[in-house]
Amino acid sequence: MGQAYSAGLTVTDSIILRKERILPLKGQVLVKKGDKVKAETVVAETLLPGKVVPFNLANKLGVTPAQLEVYIKIKAGQKITKDTILAENKGLFGLGFFKNEIRSPVEGEVENISSVTGQVLLREPRIPVQVKAFMDGLVTEVIEGEGVIIENKSAYIQGIFGIGDETVGELKMLATTPDDELDLAKIDDSCRDKVIVAGALVRLHAIEAAVKHGVKAIITGGIDDQDLKKLLGYDIGVAITGHEKVGLTIVCTEGFGKITMAQKTFDLLKALNGRKTSIHGRTQIRAGVIRPEIIIPMDFEESELVSKEASLPILEPGTLIRIIRQPHFGRIAKVISLPEELTKVESETMVRILVGEFEDGTRFSMPRANVEVIES
Amino acid sequence: MQYDEKRLTRIVATDCGSTTTKAILIEWVDGEFRQTIRGEAPTTVEAPLNDVTKGVINATSEMEELARLKYNNPNIKFMENGEFIIPRKGDIGIDAYVSTSSAGGGLQMMVTGVVASMTGESAERAALGAGAIVMDLISSNDKRMNHEKIERIRQLRPDMILMAGGEDGGTVKHVVEMAELVAAADPKPRLGASYKLPVIFAGNKDAQEEIRKTLGSKVELIITDNIRPKLEQENLGPARDKIHDLFMEHVMQQAPGYNKLMEWAKGPDLESVPIMPTPAAVGNIMQTIAKDENIEVVGVDIGGATTDIFSVFTEEYIFNRTVSANLGLSYSISNVLASAGLPNIMRWVPFDIDESELRNMIKNKMIRPTTIPSLLEELVLEQAIAKEALRLAFEQHKEFASGLKGMQRQRDISEAFSQSTSGASIVNLMSLNLIVGSGGVLSHAPRRNQTVMMLIDSFLPEGITRLAVDSIFMMPHLGVLSEISSKAATEVFRKDCMVYLGTCVAPVGKGKIGKPALYAKLELPDGSKFEEEIPFGEVRLIPCEAGTVAKATLRALGGLILDKEKSKELIVDLHGGKVGIVLDTRGRRPFALPTEKTERIAALKKWMREFKVYPEQILV
């Protein structure tokens, strides 16, 4: 076989991006098709249903569920305030002695009253939720009541792993070479609200300093797992991230440990130093792959907004690849050939291999599964 | 409908897993059904392709290419214009296409019950048996506050909910209360907001009317027979069938490309063959083995994300399945480390490694789940992690596979002394006959000896137990194939799928290192003999080919026992296999490794050499 499908992460100086910005529940869209929006623009908002407070009224009143209707003072759908009387009995001898009044513990609405269980469900007031554009661009589609699609032309880098949610800041290059470890001394107040770029590694003390100086996000080649565990206070078991609240967003471009940032990624970030950057660390590797994204919007004409048809990255002679497992983890190479037959590697596993060549001309072979295509 | 070789001469079966779509070709060759060719490709249920059939096409084209090479016939073709050609005409087309699926996270369910350990557990058993992952079990007595339960139901977004609770004719209050909580949460299905969430009610039949009133307008309510009509009776069948129907009608319809896949899956008369959840198909096969051979079986399927354990025990063939949703060797590998702890993984590693290096390696595997260990050291580490994942998953299974809880039983005097209670585990390693392993790390281990050692170290079989492995992971395919041809499924299962590895003999009890533990005399089919009094703390591997037996005289020494009758001496036939017969005197109940590091490493190296699991270079 002359070619094979492979995994790959996109690193490019120009791509047409299309982002859905959708509300969790139906609501109101605040922008219209053709609007130019900034990352910070609120594009849609809605009210999420309030918390439900179950309340066993029959038990509180000391009556059976069937008797409840005699004493109840509210109806399903009725608005209530805190302390609204929900039910009351008539007291001793019907004269009001030791009268028992049950008042609502919350403000909101009566959702349901059950004569089988004696349970009343109260719903607290609705909670407003807003969705921002996240990236500068053009509203190209409005999905009525749900949200919008925003398109733009951007420089774009997919990370391999990250933590922390969406944020926006100006890109600031702190590393001088892609194999730098982020120098603590470089993190000062000039980094406030910035997205800073490290090289091969960022250690825990540097992350803590960045949080202290109000850094929005860190882009790094690698992170040490023990540092990450200390930062989060727990060990990540399954890679579903993005919800962490550690004070900033972190995106790793290569993986865990000290790993030199791919030269192409490093050069691209360096060239765009000072540009507005939208970034998130959301990672989900199972059931709907989500990878962290670094988006640096460019100027564009509407006519340019034609995205390429999606396809799987293909390995073939000449493809640029990154090695993603030992040995040679993190190195960049070029595919020379893809032998068809199964080949035994050091671990004695019989696998499909590829023959590759490093920049210095040395050749190697390794399982095809252990490389990824560098897409452009 | 069942077909034989007159109508089925070439069948394509696929399993659309969460990472890989695996296709196999089954053909009628020289008077028998055989699995002839396999192909695989990345699953394409996610962006950017969002269409599961693309992966199926890619895997099938790989098979087409290989078939043309194998038969030296450039005209062979299974598909045309991206669709299967059914029925077959000469070189063109196939007679049937069947498929299983666990892509997109498989079938994810939430179950409810009144008492967690009774109706709750029955509901969980029904869902697991149908091939689902149970995201949560919510019950009236689970100690969470009602508002917490509502929040949880709302957050979960399952594919469907199964509600149980109450015996027929019993109280309705608690089960209706649970329905009120579900109604208040107003749960939404995981895939697509365009349809109502299916909710199956399989509880007290007297509560059906109230349940209809409470939930009827909010969800797609399906009412079926009570899962626990009486405390001492479990009736899982009707609920399990409903789950399968709904999986096809609702869940699969929503997953990208599945409409097309469901249309494709059909037999020789062009009638459609339902897509089956992968674990349900594997469960089918396990039960068939147990019944056909009249034995007790434990099966395991260790994947990247989850580990499924299946067991069939006791003379009534009680089937149990558990899925450990976060124990696996790629996506969930980091969770194995978090659950087992570093020392438990390191106890299986015959060399020293820096903790930070190991942690980073594990995390890198998690974020790049499809990579393969190409260095020997990494292979040893992955297999050490696999042993712990299997051990933890089996522990969960033993706890779950129990008799019905909450029943009143009359006990005889011996039971009273043995303190047996209702709800005790029915998994009995002493009576277990066969362990079948499957999943990448077991099926594709470079040496079958490694598979044997992983199975023995993690399951710790007791007495005499046969070991087997699914050769290339085709049990799901055969499970669904049996729906249209049990003949083809059984033949291929015996000839191409099951690889018998051998038999493990492990006397049970405590002993002292170096003291005599087992006298074994084996007459091997080639006429050679093995005879030794093996000291405690050792293993021996005696080659004995598959399909042959060794006549063995076994005598347990030093207070150890050999079977559930506590026999000290047995004269038996031991089945051979690809690896052979293992005599394991390392002890059971307890099985312990030396705690001191240098002693432990020395013991591991000794056993690994005897098992011939790794090349010598890693053991020096």
Side-chain angles (χ1 to χ4, degrees):
Chain A
M1 233 174 292
Q3 58 177 44
Y5 297 102
S6 167
L9 296 173
T10 308
V11 176
T12 174
D13 58 359
S14 173
I15 193 172
I16 303 303
L17 283 182
R18 189 179 152 86
K19 288 247 158 254
E20 276 190 358
R21 306 297 293 168
I22 303 289
L23 289 164
L25 276 183
K26 282 210 168 192
Q28 200 183 358
V29 177
L30 305 174
V31 290
K32 53 187 193 307
K33 191 174 167 179
D35 282 359
K36 281 203 165 151
V37 289
K38 293 279 169 204
E40 301 77 10
T41 312
V42 175
V43 293
E45 64 182 11
T46 189
L47 294 168
L48 287 182
K51 206 167 97 183
V52 176
V53 182
F55 199 71
N56 200 313
L57 204 50
N59 282 358
K60 295 260 181 206
L61 209 59
V63 298
T64 65
Q67 290 171 321
L68 192 62
E69 64 177 311
V70 182
Y71 305 105
I72 201 150
K73 299 283 173 204
I74 47 166
K75 291 198 294 277
Q78 184 182 328
K79 293 255 184 295
I80 48 166
T81 58
K82 192 165 186 291
D83 288 334
T84 298
I85 295 174
L86 303 177
E88 61 182 5
N89 62 17
K90 299 198 170 64
L92 212 52
F93 313 121
L95 297 172
F97 295 123
F98 301 110
K99 195 162 102 176
N100 192 2
E101 284 178 353
I102 311 294
R103 291 170 184 271
S104 168
V106 294
E107 183 188 339
E109 199 174 289
V110 180
E111 169 113 350
N112 181 42
I113 302 165
S114 169
S115 58
V116 177
T117 63
Q119 180 156 259
V120 177
L121 298 173
L122 308 175
R123 196 179 281 279
E124 288 185 356
R126 291 165 173 261
I127 309 153
V129 173
Q130 294 185 324
V131 172
K132 290 183 180 166
F134 178 52
M135 63 177 197
D136 295 1
L138 186 75
V139 178
T140 54
E141 203 178 318
V142 169
I143 305 162
E144 212 46 63
E146 292 184 35
V148 295
I149 289 170
I150 294 171
E151 291 185 49
N152 73 8
K153 186 166 94 173
S154 292
Y156 180 76
I157 297 165
Q158 267 181 326
I160 186 77
F161 174 80
I163 57 164
D165 211 347
E166 294 175 344
T167 187
V168 181
E170 192 182 291
L171 200 65
K172 185 175 167 75
M173 202 70 187
L174 291 189
T176 36
T177 67
D179 55 4
D180 270 4
E181 179 176 326
L182 184 59
D183 183 359
L184 192 61
K186 287 185 176 170
I187 305 169
D188 55 25
D189 258 355
S190 70
C191 299
R192 183 165 299 280
D193 293 334
K194 300 283 186 339
V195 174
I196 61 173
V197 182
L201 183 67
V202 54
R203 305 288 331 205
L204 181 62
H205 56 266
I207 300 171
E208 286 167 346
V211 173
K212 202 171 102 202
H213 289 287
V215 168
K216 286 273 183 77
I218 303 175
I219 303 170
T220 174
I223 188 170
D224 188 83
D225 184 46
Q226 275 173 313
D227 281 349
L228 183 65
K229 189 178 166 189
K230 283 182 202 146
L231 178 71
L232 297 172
Y234 58 89
D235 203 353
I236 289 183
V238 180
I240 298 175
T241 64
H243 54 272
E244 298 75 14
K245 303 264 180 279
V246 292
L248 46 63
T249 293
I250 301 176
V251 171
C252 299
T253 58
E254 317 300 319
F256 286 87
K258 182 173 181 176
I259 316 170
T260 305
M261 187 180 283
Q263 190 72 41
K264 187 177 172 189
T265 311
F266 185 83
D267 292 345
L268 184 58
L269 290 168
K270 196 171 164 188
L272 296 167
N273 193 21
R275 299 288 291 264
K276 183 177 179 181
T277 304
S278 301
I279 182 169
H280 71 79
R282 287 207 295 264
T283 313
Q284 180 177 321
I285 303 173
R286 184 181 162 196
V289 180
I290 300 169
R291 294 284 188 185
E293 294 176 297
I294 303 163
I295 300 167
I296 304 154
M298 305 291 187
D299 293 333
F300 63 93
E301 296 295 324
E302 208 172 320
S303 57
E304 291 179 77
L305 297 180
V306 182
S307 42
K308 278 196 292 185
E309 201 184 317
S311 61
L312 280 179
I314 284 177
L315 271 182
E316 53 195 348
T319 309
L320 205 58
I321 51 169
R322 174 183 3 218
I323 296 162
I324 54 173
R325 186 147 186 173
Q326 295 296 359
H328 312 303
F329 189 8
R331 290 189 67 179
I332 307 292
K334 195 171 71 183
V335 177
I336 297 297
S337 65
L338 298 159
E340 247 178 52
E341 64 280 8
L342 294 172
T343 309
K344 193 188 262 192
V345 293
E346 187 203 284
S347 63
E348 300 184 334
T349 315
M350 297 294 288
V351 286
R352 287 240 158 82
I353 59 154
L354 60 79
V355 176
E357 186 181 278
F358 294 120
E359 254 181 9
D360 63 8
T362 49
R363 291 202 171 182
F364 62 92
S365 66
M366 70 165 46
R368 290 181 197 178
N370 292 359
V371 303
E372 65 192 11
V373 174
I374 299 183
E375 288 184 77
S376 51
Chain B
M1 184 76 182
Q2 289 281 316
Y3 298 95
D4 60 14
E5 65 278 4
K6 292 189 190 82
R7 303 294 308 279
L8 292 172
T9 56
R10 183 174 277 169
I11 309 157
V12 171
T14 58
D15 172 51
C16 307
S18 33
T19 15
T20 318
T21 297
K22 288 142 282 201
I24 60 170
L25 188 69
I26 289 159
E27 294 179 284
W28 177 257
V29 213
D30 300 332
E32 56 182 5
F33 282 109
R34 296 302 296 256
Q35 184 272 324
T36 49
I37 291 167
R38 63 189 272 251
E40 60 180 52
T43 294
T44 49
V45 73
E46 321 286 5
L49 296 178
N50 283 322
D51 181 352
V52 71
T53 57
K54 296 273 192 298
V56 173
I57 295 174
N58 291 340
T60 309
S61 350
E62 188 173 323
M63 283 204 307
E64 268 176 352
E65 276 177 40
L66 294 169
R68 285 175 204 143
L69 284 174
K70 183 180 167 109
Y71 297 115
N72 194 18
N73 178 353
N75 302 322
I76 291 178
K77 207 180 315 174
F78 307 148
M79 299 187 104
E80 201 166 46
N81 304 325
E83 291 206 16
F84 286 105
I85 311 160
I86 299 177
R88 174 184 179 183
K89 284 191 186 106
D91 294 335
I92 313 289
I94 56 174
D95 295 312
Y97 168 66
V98 291
S99 187
T100 58
S101 170
S102 59
L107 167 62
Q108 304 189 4
M109 290 183 66
M110 191 197 94
V111 301
T112 74
V114 169
V115 180
S117 63
M118 294 189 224
T119 47
E121 214 166 77
S122 293
E124 199 174 1
R125 243 193 291 275
L128 286 164
I133 286 175
V134 175
M135 305 164 89
D136 203 351
L137 159 61
I138 295 182
S139 65
S140 305
N141 73 333
D142 71 7
K143 299 208 172 92
R144 280 176 282 195
M145 302 293 288
N146 277 353
H147 71 269
E148 289 171 330
K149 291 177 191 166
I150 293 172
E151 268 312 297
R152 180 76 181 139
I153 299 168
R154 189 187 286 165
Q155 281 165 6
L156 280 179
R157 303 196 71 152
D159 292 321
M160 66 179 88
I161 296 179
L162 172 62
M163 296 187 65
E167 49 180 346
D168 283 344
T171 167
V172 300
K173 185 181 163 198
H174 294 105
V175 65
V176 173
E177 190 176 272
M178 190 56 72
E180 284 168 4
L181 301 185
V182 172
D186 197 7
K188 297 278 178 279
R190 181 168 64 108
L191 302 164
S194 57
Y195 70 108
K196 283 185 181 171
L197 180 75
V199 173
I200 302 166
F201 176 71
N204 182 355
K205 65 174 195 283
D206 293 356
Q208 289 178 356
E209 208 36 58
E210 283 299 330
I211 298 285
R212 231 179 238 121
K213 269 191 230 156
T214 316
L215 283 171
S217 62
K218 295 215 163 181
V219 300
E220 173 79 30
L221 182 67
I222 296 100
I223 291 183
T224 185
D225 296 350
N226 194 350
I227 220 166
R228 199 81 185 254
K230 290 186 207 144
L231 215 48
E232 56 277 14
Q233 188 191 345
E234 199 170 56
N235 175 31
L236 305 180
R240 217 181 263 177
D241 292 346
K242 282 280 181 269
I243 296 171
H244 279 163
D245 294 351
L246 289 168
F247 180 64
M248 287 296 291
E249 284 166 27
H250 291 263
V251 184
M252 300 291 276
Q253 296 275 9
Q254 307 302 323
Y258 275 86
N259 266 337
K260 216 189 310 173
L261 191 71
M262 283 156 69
E263 263 175 45
W264 282 4
K266 52 193 167 201
D269 289 325
L270 303 182
E271 78 290 10
S272 74
V273 184
I275 312 273
M276 203 182 261
T278 306
V282 178
N284 266 4
I285 282 286
M286 293 288 170
Q287 292 177 81
T288 312
I289 311 176
K291 284 180 190 159
D292 280 4
E293 313 214 348
N294 190 23
I295 54 172
E296 295 186 341
V297 183
V298 164
V300 57
D301 173 14
I302 177 165
T306 61
T307 296
D308 283 45
I309 305 232
F310 307 81
S311 70
V312 187
F313 272 98
T314 77
E315 54 271 32
E316 289 105 49
Y317 303 111
I318 296 175
F319 171 67
N320 272 290
R321 165 187 173 240
T322 49
V323 45
S324 302
N326 289 324
L327 293 174
L329 277 194
S330 58
Y331 303 108
S332 312
I333 191 168
S334 178
N335 199 54
V336 179
L337 170 69
S339 309
L342 196 70
N344 272 329
I345 291 172
M346 289 309 294
R347 71 192 175 127
W348 301 114
V349 180
F351 48 81
D352 222 359
I353 180 172
D354 173 52
E355 177 179 347
S356 160
E357 199 184 318
L358 177 66
R359 294 187 74 95
N360 286 334
M361 182 207 113
I362 290 174
K363 285 288 192 303
N364 280 320
K365 170 84 181 184
M366 169 185 82
I367 57 175
R368 291 182 164 112
T370 51
T371 58
I372 293 168
S374 90
L375 296 179
L376 188 53
E377 194 173 281
E378 295 206 340
L379 179 84
V380 175
L381 289 167
E382 276 202 24
Q383 294 187 342
I385 299 166
K387 287 180 190 178
E388 282 303 298
L390 292 168
R391 178 183 68 82
L392 291 170
F394 192 44
E395 268 174 24
Q396 290 175 4
H397 184 83
K398 281 192 274 192
E399 211 166 286
F400 181 77
S402 59
L404 295 183
K405 288 175 191 149
M407 281 163 50
Q408 290 197 345
R409 296 198 322 165
Q410 281 196 333
R411 292 186 187 181
D412 64 25
I413 195 83
S414 67
E415 278 181 302
F417 280 114
S418 70
Q419 295 284 308
S420 71
T421 54
S422 73
S425 179
I426 58 169
V427 173
N428 182 353
L429 284 163
M430 260 305 198
S431 61
L432 173 67
N433 304 93
L434 173 67
I435 301 177
V436 186
S438 95
V441 72
L442 295 172
S443 291
H444 298 313
R447 296 185 184 189
R448 297 283 191 205
N449 301 48
Q450 291 161 358
T451 311
V452 165
M453 197 174 187
M454 280 187 271
L455 289 175
I456 293 178
D457 286 353
S458 51
F459 286 87
L460 297 172
E462 299 174 356
I464 298 170
T465 318
R466 281 185 89 180
L467 305 171
V469 68
D470 176 354
S471 62
I472 53 161
F473 190 54
M474 60 168 113
M475 282 200 280
H477 308 78
L478 300 182
V480 64
L481 174 62
S482 63
E483 299 283 305
I484 56 164
S485 175
S486 51
K487 180 179 179 191
T490 320
E491 277 192 40
V492 175
F493 181 75
R494 290 193 201 289
K495 287 172 194 144
D496 299 310
C497 172
M498 279 280 267
V499 176
Y500 281 101
L501 301 170
T503 300
C504 174
V505 177
V508 174
K510 285 183 194 166
K512 277 203 176 123
I513 300 288
K515 295 271 181 207
L518 176 71
Y519 165 79
K521 191 168 92 179
L522 271 64
E523 286 173 31
L524 293 152
D526 62 1
S528 63
K529 284 198 173 75
F530 169 92
E531 186 172 5
E532 190 185 346
E533 191 176 85
I534 307 165
F536 192 85
E538 303 274 331
V539 288
R540 296 287 180 272
L541 174 65
I542 302 131
C544 178
E545 273 180 35
T548 65
V549 291
K551 304 246 169 247
T553 307
L554 303 168
R555 199 176 311 133
L557 307 166
L560 303 182
I561 54 167
L562 283 168
D563 63 9
K564 61 181 174 185
E565 272 80 41
K566 301 189 177 167
S567 308
K568 297 273 185 194
E569 188 168 334
L570 289 175
I571 296 173
V572 285
D573 284 352
L574 297 177
H575 290 269
K578 281 262 176 213
V579 176
I581 294 164
V582 176
L583 306 175
D584 180 355
T585 61
R586 295 177 296 172
R588 297 288 190 272
R589 296 190 245 164
F591 166 85
L593 286 157
T595 43
E596 204 277 318
K597 191 160 85 181
T598 46
E599 262 181 57
R600 178 179 51 80
I601 290 181
L604 284 175
K605 284 183 176 173
K606 187 170 69 174
W607 299 332
M608 286 171 171
R609 275 198 189 101
E610 184 63 37
F611 265 122
K612 297 186 177 58
V613 279
Y614 301 121
E616 190 54 28
Q617 69 206 70
I618 201 96
L619 301 175
V620 286

